[in-house]
Amino acid sequence: MMRTFILGLMSLLSFQLCAQNMDERGYIVTEGEATPNFELFLLNGDTVSNEMLLGKVVVLQFTASWCSVCRKEMPHLESEVWQEFKEDDFILIGIDLKEDEATTRAFVEKIGVTYPIALDIDGSLFDLFAGPKQGVTRNIVIDKKGNIAFLTRLYERVEFEEMISVIKQELKK
């Protein structure tokens, strides 16, 4: 009984600590801080780490086939971000959350995006950036030094245009 009580108390304290460090949009990271270490497994078979991306402006786009907001945003990411900046020191990587490879491939084909897509089958990459049970539609802009430059949540046109402005500024540095 006492062990159950202690475990419950530890879980509650852990949740409260996470909640205290989480912003109103569910992020546990902030602009200006270094990106957590990560490794991505792309659908094309390549593996990419945050260290390999140094020197590039990076957008990590968390998505999922069941996410209607993601489906709305992805064509804009393709045409206004990927096609606009892919020839620069830039990369956009979509990260499909908690879906298998077959589902992800079908989703990408249906949406028609050409930027690289990675799998986050267990959600561990997502958990480096957002708190427990937070929504998936997110873009994380990372500067050439590996620091977080901008964070988006959902697809709102004003914030999307601000993200594009940040990408342009970071590419000039």
Side-chain angles (χ1 to χ4, degrees):
M1 175 109 165
M2 183 61 141
R3 182 172 183 234
T4 304
F5 173 76
I6 291 172
L7 288 174
L9 185 60
M10 287 174 58
S11 293
L12 179 62
L13 289 172
S14 173
F15 177 78
Q16 286 180 331
L17 278 173
C18 183
Q20 288 173 351
N21 294 328
M22 190 169 35
D23 71 12
E24 68 281 353
R25 298 183 310 163
Y27 277 107
I28 58 173
V29 295
T30 58
E31 292 175 10
E33 76 179 59
T35 305
N37 290 328
F38 62 82
E39 191 170 66
L40 302 172
F41 302 99
L42 303 180
L43 288 179
N44 70 4
D46 290 345
T47 300
V48 178
S49 71
N50 59 313
E51 289 181 9
M52 295 169 64
L53 297 172
L54 291 174
K56 291 188 177 289
V57 175
V58 178
V59 174
L60 300 179
Q61 178 240 347
F62 285 97
T63 190
S65 66
W66 43 263
C67 171
S68 63
V69 178
C70 301
R71 289 175 173 271
K72 179 180 177 183
E73 179 185 56
M74 289 175 79
H76 296 283
L77 284 165
E78 174 69 25
S79 64
E80 298 173 54
V81 178
W82 181 238
Q83 294 303 323
E84 180 71 23
F85 303 115
K86 71 180 182 178
E87 302 300 324
D88 297 324
D89 287 329
F90 175 81
I91 186 141
L92 164 62
I93 303 173
I95 303 168
D96 192 86
L97 181 62
K98 295 184 179 179
E99 296 183 305
D100 63 34
E101 184 175 340
T103 301
T104 303
R105 285 187 185 281
F107 168 49
V108 169
E109 186 175 319
K110 183 172 184 172
I111 298 296
V113 297
T114 62
Y115 51 85
I117 303 291
L119 298 173
D120 187 16
I121 293 173
D122 65 358
S124 59
L125 182 63
F126 183 83
D127 292 346
L128 294 175
F129 295 94
K133 300 182 182 184
Q134 297 302 306
V136 67
T137 310
R138 297 172 184 276
N139 295 301
I140 299 159
V141 180
I142 303 168
D143 69 19
K144 292 178 181 180
K145 295 178 181 177
N147 297 316
I148 296 169
F150 194 72
L151 301 166
T152 73
R153 176 72 181 108
L154 299 172
Y155 173 68
E156 296 177 4
R157 192 67 209 175
V158 171
E159 185 176 61
F160 190 83
E161 289 174 6
E162 189 177 351
M163 177 183 73
I164 291 171
S165 178
V166 168
I167 292 168
K168 287 178 181 178
Q169 290 170 6
E170 292 300 328
L171 285 168
K172 290 178 184 176
K173 293 181 181 178

